[in-house]
Amino acid sequence: MGLRNVLGDAALPSAARAAGTYTSGPVANAGLAADVWLMVHVTAVSGTPTLNCSLEESADGSSWSAVPGSSTSQLTAAGNAVAAAAVTKNYVRVTATVAGTTPSVTFRASLLIVPE
């Protein structure tokens, strides 16, 4: 089998984010994928932060549910985390939660969608 085109998106572009939950816009046609890769890159932190990222999927782009097994390892300092999961619905998005004591985390979350 030859190489296939992979779709990529900077779901949450690099920015400093305080405590809260952040969601990307929906990425369409993810349901056609065999695998979706979530890559998180943290470049700076302050306070005592935690960052948890995962994928959600939706059939209609408005009602979302967690994708089992799509959570990255928790990040508390500069570094990287990766997760992969199978998505079966038409849309996928990234959800990121920053928590901790006066946290600030500068990070980006990117998606790679690998078609069947």
Side-chain angles (χ1 to χ4, degrees):
M1 176 192 307
L3 295 175
R4 293 171 284 164
N5 290 332
V6 174
L7 305 172
D9 187 27
L12 292 171
S14 185
R17 296 175 175 91
T21 299
Y22 303 88
T23 56
S24 71
V27 177
N29 296 325
L32 302 176
D35 297 297
V36 175
W37 289 80
L38 168 59
M39 299 162 294
V40 180
H41 179 62
V42 174
T43 57
V45 300
S46 66
T48 309
T50 60
L51 173 63
N52 294 292
C53 297
S54 63
L55 299 173
E56 293 182 337
E57 64 183 352
S58 172
D60 59 9
S62 63
S63 177
W64 296 90
S65 59
V67 176
S70 70
S71 297
T72 63
S73 299
Q74 185 178 78
L75 291 165
T76 59
N80 302 296
V82 177
V87 176
T88 59
K89 297 182 180 169
N90 291 335
Y91 300 93
V92 65
R93 72 179 181 184
V94 175
T95 297
T97 301
V98 176
T101 306
T102 60
S104 177
V105 181
T106 301
F107 72 95
R108 73 173 173 258
S110 301
L111 293 177
L112 291 179
I113 299 173
V114 182
E116 291 224 38

